[in-house]
Structure formats: C-alpha cells, structure tokens
C-alpha cells in the first residue's frame, strides 16, 4: 500500500507543480509545435520513469532495434495493465501518441498532457466518432508521429489474448507505415493482479520485426489484425498464450 500512496502523492504533486508548464508548452507550440511535442515527451517520460522506480519494477527490453529511427510506426501491443502505457512511453522512439479510451479526456490536467503528446481518445461505442479518431491517427502518422494502439479494445483480465479489432489496423493500411508488434509480460503483476497493492515485478517488453503490409499476401492483408495478433502471441511465453493452444 505504501508504494501506491507514494505514486498517488507523486502524481498529484507533479500535475499541480507542473501545471504552469502547460502554459509554457502552449506558448512554445505557437512558435514550434515540434519543440512543444519534444519537451512534453521529455517531461512525461521522466515522470513515468519516477513512477516506475517507485514500483521497484525491473524492465527487460528485447528487440528495440527493430523500431525504425527514420519513420513513424504503428505500435500494436497486448494490453493487461495501466502500466503498459507507463512503460511503453519509456521505450518509444520519437513522437508517439497512445490511443486511450474517451473517459481519459475527462481527467483534468492529465488530459492536457496527453493532448500535447498527440494521444487520441477513442469512443468505442460511437462508430462515427471512432472513425474520426482513426482518421486523426492517419493524419498524425503522415506528419511523422507514431501511434500506439491496443487492438483488444480494453485491458485483458483473463488468460490469452482477446481478438483484435480489425479496424484498428487502418492507420497502417492507409499510411503504409510499418507495424511493430509489441509483447509485454509482467505488467499486470505490478498492480491489477492484487489491487489496491503495488508490488515490484519483472517486466519483459519484446518488439517484433516490422510488419511491412506491402510484403504480405492477399489473405494476410485481409485479416491484418489477426495476423498481427498471432505475431504477438508467438512472442509471448506459454502461460500468456490462448488456453486452447496450450498443450
């Protein structure tokens, strides 16, 4: 419980103390949107680094060299914890926006930082609004900003992985950017598996080889979500795979 209290106190103090920085970021953005995005990312990455340190968690990273340095990508990952985002932002290359549920937009101050980082707020119940979000993501990628999505649609609280929403792949399909499959293990063990306690964990993040859509065959392109999902499953240890596929 002590770790959770420390994290909550840090978050509250950080959001309050650095709230004037939002004004500074707004001014910077008037002259250089790129500088604003980079400085916002710097501040958030350091804040998330402190939060991760408070949890006592060790993170092993495999395959980060698979992320291109010279172009935006669509990160596609499995989703089991809020800490997936905390850890993910520590490892991205360049400007990156995460796709979050629309409810996050209501959280005062935090939502402002998320907007500075090009995060997208997805309304899963409204198809029209969801399409607008995807179109915005396409526009971001065309401007050189990577996007990170969790196509299961929500945090998976059970074994295996839920089916991917095929529509979430449109960002890569319409821009031609590579898809980076991301497999995370050990994140739910930080908090979700024993709420309200925060405990140290050993997290492994594996970045798979880029998926170039143009190199796929017709069937793989048609079911790109399923194809990417299988790539992530192949990177996960046996206990994280679909129960039906276990021996």
């Amino acid at each position: 419980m002590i770790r959770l209290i420390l994290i909550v106190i840090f978050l509250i103090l950080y959001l309050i103390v650095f709230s004037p920085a939002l004004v500074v970021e707004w001014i910077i953005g008037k002259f250089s949107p790129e500088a604003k995005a980079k400085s916002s990312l710097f501040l958030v990455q350091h804040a998330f680094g402190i939060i991760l340190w408070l949890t006592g968690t060790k993170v092993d990273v495999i395959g980060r060299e698979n992320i291109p340095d010279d172009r935006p990508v669509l990160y596609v990952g499995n989703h089991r914890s809020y800490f997936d985002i905390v850890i993910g932002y520590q490892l991205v290359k360049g400007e990156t926006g995460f796709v979050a549920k629309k409810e996050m937009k209501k959280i005062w101050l935090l939502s402002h930082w998320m907007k500075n980082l090009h995060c997208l707020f997805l309304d899963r119940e409204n198809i029209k609004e969801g399409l607008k979000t995807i179109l915005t993501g396409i526009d971001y990628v065309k401007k050189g900003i990577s996007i990170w999505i969790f196509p299961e649609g929500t945090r998976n609280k059970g074994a295996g992985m839920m089916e991917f929403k095929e529509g979430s792949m449109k960002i890569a399909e319409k821009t031609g950017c590579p898809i980076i499959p991301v497999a995370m293990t050990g994140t739910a063990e930080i908090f979700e598996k024993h709420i309200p306690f925060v405990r140290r964990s050993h997290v492994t993040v594996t970045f798979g080889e880029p998926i170039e859509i143009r190199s796929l065959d017709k069937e793989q392109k048609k079911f790109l979500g399923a194809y990417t999902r299988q790539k992530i499953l192949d990177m996960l240890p046996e206990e994280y795979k679909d129960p039906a596929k276990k021996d």
Side-chain angles (χ1 to χ4, degrees):
M1 184 65 76
I2 293 177
R3 292 181 189 274
L4 176 61
I5 293 173
L6 289 174
I7 290 171
V8 171
I9 291 174
F10 170 77
L11 268 176
I12 293 173
L13 289 177
Y14 189 90
L15 289 173
I16 292 174
V17 172
F18 279 87
S19 58
L22 286 170
V23 178
V24 176
E25 293 291 295
W26 179 80
I27 295 172
I28 293 174
K30 288 296 182 181
F31 297 95
S32 175
E34 184 179 354
K36 171 186 175 183
K38 287 183 178 179
S39 59
S40 293
L41 180 60
F42 174 83
L43 291 171
V44 170
Q45 282 181 326
H46 279 70
F48 282 172
I50 293 172
I51 290 173
L52 199 58
W53 176 76
L54 289 172
T55 70
T57 294
K58 177 185 177 183
V59 180
D60 287 336
V61 183
I62 301 170
R64 191 167 182 265
E65 67 277 5
N66 288 325
I67 307 172
D69 295 310
D70 57 349
R71 54 180 173 157
V73 302
L74 179 67
Y75 296 95
V76 178
N78 62 322
H79 192 26
R80 303 184 68 86
S81 170
Y82 291 117
F83 280 91
D84 295 340
I85 300 172
V86 174
I87 295 169
Y89 257 126
Q90 297 291 297
L91 302 174
V92 296
K93 292 184 179 181
E95 295 179 55
T96 303
F98 276 69
V99 177
K101 58 184 180 181
K102 66 172 184 177
E103 288 77 12
M104 298 292 290
K105 198 173 184 178
K106 300 176 182 178
I107 303 178
W108 185 59
L109 290 181
L110 178 61
S111 62
H112 289 287
W113 283 109
M114 293 177 72
K115 290 175 184 177
N116 282 357
L117 295 173
H118 310 293
C119 288
L120 301 171
F121 302 95
L122 181 62
D123 186 345
R124 300 187 184 95
E125 306 300 323
N126 189 317
I127 297 177
K128 185 177 179 180
E129 291 302 314
L131 178 59
K132 288 182 180 179
T133 302
I134 296 299
L135 291 174
T136 301
I138 292 171
D139 185 53
Y140 281 167
V141 171
K142 289 180 178 178
K143 292 177 179 178
I145 301 164
S146 296
I147 298 294
W148 189 312
I149 61 172
F150 299 109
E152 289 173 277
T154 186
R155 285 184 299 112
N156 182 7
K157 301 174 184 177
M161 286 173 62
M162 294 182 285
E163 297 299 320
F164 279 9
K165 314 294 184 184
E166 289 290 341
S168 59
M169 299 292 119
K170 292 296 182 184
I171 293 175
E173 291 175 347
K174 297 297 184 181
T175 62
C177 75
I179 297 172
I180 303 295
V182 188
M184 288 190 177
T185 63
T187 54
E189 285 75 5
I190 300 174
F191 182 60
E192 282 78 6
K193 284 197 172 182
H194 34 70
I195 294 173
F197 301 101
V198 171
R199 294 175 180 167
R200 65 180 62 190
S201 179
H202 186 175
V203 170
T204 299
V205 182
T206 304
F207 294 95
E209 294 184 2
I211 298 173
E212 300 285 356
I213 298 178
R214 63 178 179 274
S215 66
L216 302 180
D217 61 37
K218 185 177 179 180
E219 192 70 11
Q220 291 168 340
K221 290 178 181 178
K222 183 178 180 181
F223 300 103
L224 187 56
Y227 177 81
T228 305
R229 177 178 178 272
Q230 187 58 52
K231 289 292 183 181
I232 297 172
L233 277 172
D234 290 342
M235 294 189 292
L236 290 170
E238 199 62 33
E239 62 267 25
Y240 282 81
K241 298 182 187 292
D242 291 336
K245 296 186 178 181
K246 291 184 180 180
D247 294 332

